[in-house]
């Protein structure tokens, strides 16, 4: 491998060098960049190409050792020469240019910032007198001789900044070297350490290969073991940074320990002049008000070189200097530094840091900090917060142990996160025992008044919302005064009401509750956690009512706002946007936003991801089925079931609808309609009127017209455009009203449900053909195709059915499809709950309309999609 390092990601730079050498505008080019980015490698490749093009090339390598010797870089041409400095320079130039054609001499000067003054004069004169073209490399942050600097400042040479490799090019280089792509964890770790520095990348990869830690598994390279920096890599980094004064190393060490560290904080620790020197050397870099390491490996090396005693002392100094920190990230980092320093435990500092870590969804760090605070003596409220951090990490047994040790009378009565609520929450989520969780709240409600009663009822509303009992949520919270709740408790109650009103088909009231909740969420340190369910419930309330564009806007705005939040929050925000995209019929966007797969670490994932994964993955199964990817949809549905949770009854319909769409994708329409109606029945039993409309609309899209009476009832009580449109759709399909079906396609499109619009147009096309209006049928089908394409290539029973030009009835087409798929008449009868004789009759009629003699010949008249 060591002899096969290809030049990757430098096509643009190579082209620029070639263009400059061929141009008369410049006499050469300067490749400038940080140490190790690949300037010399790029220069050598450019020189090799120039030689192949007929150039004569002389190579000069400047070194720190030769810098003390006049003409040290040109020693090969200056041996035996005598005279004044200018005369010597001219003699060297004469030797260099001897026996070369005019305009075809290229001099490569590597590390030109290390040239001695006389060698620099030679280069300057070569360029000035147009005796040769020059290609030189210089290191950013180093001061070259004035004669060299003048060459690009005066416009004789073009200066080109050579940047580190991009992450994409780093991955490409790794793949070409290792003969296989690296898995995500491996490529991420290598990128984090090298940041595109080609020299560090090479040394690191060779080190890890020699150590046997870069292994190929199932065709993918994985990085095993720890992230130890080898002595050779440490020496390389230290060589690249050069000899650094002790005072500058102090700056580097402080930044390595505390990065990103505030400039004001660093200036409390070291002299500003020394900070400037460290920055000029490229060891650190400043951005706005913060300071970071110049390269990640610098931090790795310095942390290795510092002994544990020095590290503990420096951490303490940085922590003390951060006394004015305000942001949650800085507060959490200060607490961690304090805990790992030589400072005595400080309860106030560590508890404040733990709360900040929890607000960043880093509950593992919050746990460490709360446990560290215990060494300084902590109170019951802090123990409650520790139990909360354990709960959010799904450490149910540990949380219960902490709660059992807390005296109930010591817990603050005003906090929603208290011992009783946490015990019920632990039972609900970690222990997966909703019944016992309810019993805890029931027992606590006996005799409860004031703040405690309000807290318990808010949590009860949350239990009811998850259980799919929206009317009960409204009833319970009607007696709760939100002024008695802290921000966390108010958010829990308002979230439950947002979902409940959405389920009941009252989107305006859902929006009012959501708006009130957003105002509270913005004030609470738990905002990045609580904003997720709030946005999900708000977007759902709008989408299920048919206010699709608003739902997409809410979800996308939240996804944008979450871009700077922790990765968990970003992931859930993307899933919420995927849900909204599915409701709008944008299957391509939904497939890109909804979670792709559980991954091997899902079992250990945090609270937010684990408890949201199932419902979003069920939506992904629907997306895949609607795209006709049946096998993927089935495997996704199966994976989602593995993460089912007894507390989440309210999403039961989502899973049943996923089954319905999978059945529909397999052209099992009777089964698909049965699933859709089963989902609707569940929603009706739970009072989820808006969700029931969604399920019944799906049944209509599968061709079920028996739902017309129920949709008429729902249209009278469910607000938003969806209920009325679904009722009209069912009625039009039942009466083969082609004009109304065509109009409904436009109305669904205006509402924002493109897939329903495509299905309505497809149903219109089939109805037109049955009525003998082939032209109208073709027009409607063309519209259905265009809408399906806008959905991302959607398919559905209605769209596939419209591809059949023969005027089959719906039942004839369904049976013909099952015949083509190889089912016997008896199997078809069982699947459709018909007698075998009835099936035989339909098969006969279908064959007659198709003009074929045998049932086996039906495949010749049906579209490929159903075969």
């Amino acid at each position: 491998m060591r002899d096969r390092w290809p030049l990757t990601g430098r096509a643009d730079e190579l082209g620029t060098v070639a263009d400059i050498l061929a141009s008369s505008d410049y006499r050469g080019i300067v490749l400038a960049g940080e140490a190790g980015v690949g300037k010399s490698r790029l220069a050598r490749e450019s020189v090799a190409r120039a030689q192949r093009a007929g150039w004569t090339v002389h190579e000069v390598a400047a070194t720190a050792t030769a810098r003390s010797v006049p003409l040290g870089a040109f020693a090969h041409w200056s041996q035996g020469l005598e005279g004044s400095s200018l005369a010597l320079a001219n003699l060297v130039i004469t030797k260099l240019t001897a026996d070369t054609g005019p305009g075809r001499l290229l001099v490569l000067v590597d590390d030109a910032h290390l040239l001695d003054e006389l060698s620099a004069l030679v280069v300057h004169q070569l360029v000035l007198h147009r005796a040769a073209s020059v290609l030189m490399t210089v290191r950013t942050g180093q001061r070259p001789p004035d004669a060299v600097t003048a060459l690009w400042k005066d416009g004789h040479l073009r200066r080109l900044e050579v940047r580190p490799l991009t992450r994409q090019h780093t991955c490409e280089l790794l793949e070409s070297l290792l003969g296989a792509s690296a898995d995500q964890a491996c490529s991420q770790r290598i990128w984090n350490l090298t940041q595109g520095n080609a020299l560090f990348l090479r040394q690191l990869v060779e080190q890890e290969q020699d150590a046997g830690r870069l292994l190929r598994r199932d065709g993918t390279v994985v990085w095993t073991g720890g992230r130890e920096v080898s002595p050779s890599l440490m020496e390389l980094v230290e060589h690249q940074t050069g000899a650094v004064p002790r005072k500058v190393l102090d700056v580097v060490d402080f930044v390595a320990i505390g990065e990103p560290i505030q400039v004001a904080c660093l200036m409390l620790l070291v002299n500003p002049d020394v900070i400037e020197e460290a920055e000029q050397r490229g060891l650190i870099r400043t951005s706005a008000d913060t300071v970071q390491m110049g390269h990640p490996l610098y931090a790795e090396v310095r942390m290795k070189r510092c002994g544990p005693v020095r590290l503990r002392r420096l951490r303490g100094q940085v922590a003390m200097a951060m006394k004015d920190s305000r942001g949650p990230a800085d507060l959490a980092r200060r607490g961690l530094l304090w805990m790992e320093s030589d400072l005595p435990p400080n309860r106030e500092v560590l508890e404040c840091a733990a709360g900040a870590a929890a607000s960043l969804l880093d509950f593992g760090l919050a746990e460490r900090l709360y446990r560290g605070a215990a060494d300084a003596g902590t109170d019951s409220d802090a123990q409650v917060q520790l139990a909360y951090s354990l709960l959010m990490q799904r450490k149910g047994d540990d949380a219960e142990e902490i709660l059992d040790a807390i005296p109930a009378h010591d817990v603050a009565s005003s906090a929603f996160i208290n011992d009783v609520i946490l015990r019920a929450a632990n039972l609900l989520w970690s222990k997966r025992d909703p019944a016992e969780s309810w019993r805890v709240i029931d027992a606590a409600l006996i005799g409860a008044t004031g703040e405690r009663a309000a807290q318990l009822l808010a949590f009860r509303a949350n239990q009811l919302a998850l259980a799919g009992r929206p009317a009960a949520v409204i009833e319970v919270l009607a007696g709760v005064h939100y002024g008695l709740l802290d921000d966390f408790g108010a958010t829990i109650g308002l979230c439950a009401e947002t979902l409940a009103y959405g389920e009941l088909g009252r989107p305006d009231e859902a929006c009012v509750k959501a708006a009130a909740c957003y105002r509270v969420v913005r004030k609470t340190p738990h905002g990045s956690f609580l904003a997720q369910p709030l946005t999900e419930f708000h977007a759902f309330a709008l989408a299920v009512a048919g206010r699709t564009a608003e739902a997409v806007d809410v979800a996308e705005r939240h996804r944008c706002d979450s871009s700077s939040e922790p990765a968990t929050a970003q992931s859930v925000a993307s899933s919420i946007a995927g849900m909204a995209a599915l409701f709008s019929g944008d299957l391509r966007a939904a497939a890109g936003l909804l979670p792709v797969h559980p991954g091997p670490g899902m079992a250990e994932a945090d609270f937010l991801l684990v408890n949201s994964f199932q419902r979003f993955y069920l939506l992904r199964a629907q997306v895949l089925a609607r795209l006709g990817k049946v096998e993927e949809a089935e495997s996704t549905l199966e994976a989602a079931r593995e993460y089912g949770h007894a507390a989440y009854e309210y999403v039961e319909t989502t899973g049943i609808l996923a089954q319905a769409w999978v059945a529909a994708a397999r052209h099992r329409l009777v089964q698909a309609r049965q699933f859709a109606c089963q989902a609707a029945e569940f929603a009706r039993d739970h009072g989820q009127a808006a969700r029931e409309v969604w399920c019944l609309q799906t049944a209509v899209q599968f061709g079920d017209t028996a739902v017309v009476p129920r949709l008429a009832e729902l249209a009278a009580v469910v607000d938003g455009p969806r209920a009325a449109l679904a009722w009209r759709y069912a009625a039009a399909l039942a009466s083969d009203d082609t004009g109304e079906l065509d109009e409904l396609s436009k109305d669904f499109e205006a509402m924002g449900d493109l897939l329903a619009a495509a299905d309505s147009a497809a149903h219109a096309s089939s109805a037109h053909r049955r009525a003998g209006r082939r032209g109208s049928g073709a027009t409607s089908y063309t519209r259905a195709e265009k809408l399906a394409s806008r959905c991302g290539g959607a398919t559905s029973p209605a769209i596939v059915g419209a591809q059949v030009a023969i005027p089959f009835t719906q039942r004839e087409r369904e049976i013909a499809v099952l015949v083509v798929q190889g089912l016997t008449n008896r199997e078809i009868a069982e699947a459709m709950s018909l007698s075998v004789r009835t099936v035989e009759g339909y098969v006969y009629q279908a064959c007659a309309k198709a003009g074929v003699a045998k049932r086996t010949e039906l495949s010749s008249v049906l579209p490929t999609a159903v075969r």
Side-chain angles (χ1 to χ4, degrees), residues 200-219:
F200 293 163
L201 173 67
R202 174 172 183 161
Q203 187 72 16
L204 181 64
V205 170
E206 290 181 350
Q207 162 199 311
E208 293 306 301
Q209 277 209 321
D210 289 344
R213 290 190 288 261
L214 279 176
L215 305 174
R216 185 182 296 195
R217 292 178 180 170
D218 300 325

Side-chain angles (χ1 to χ4, degrees), residues 794-812:
T795 186
S796 70
I799 293 170
V800 172
Q803 295 173 12
V804 181
I806 301 167
F808 287 142
T809 64
Q810 180 172 290
R811 182 57 60 84
E812 289 168 350

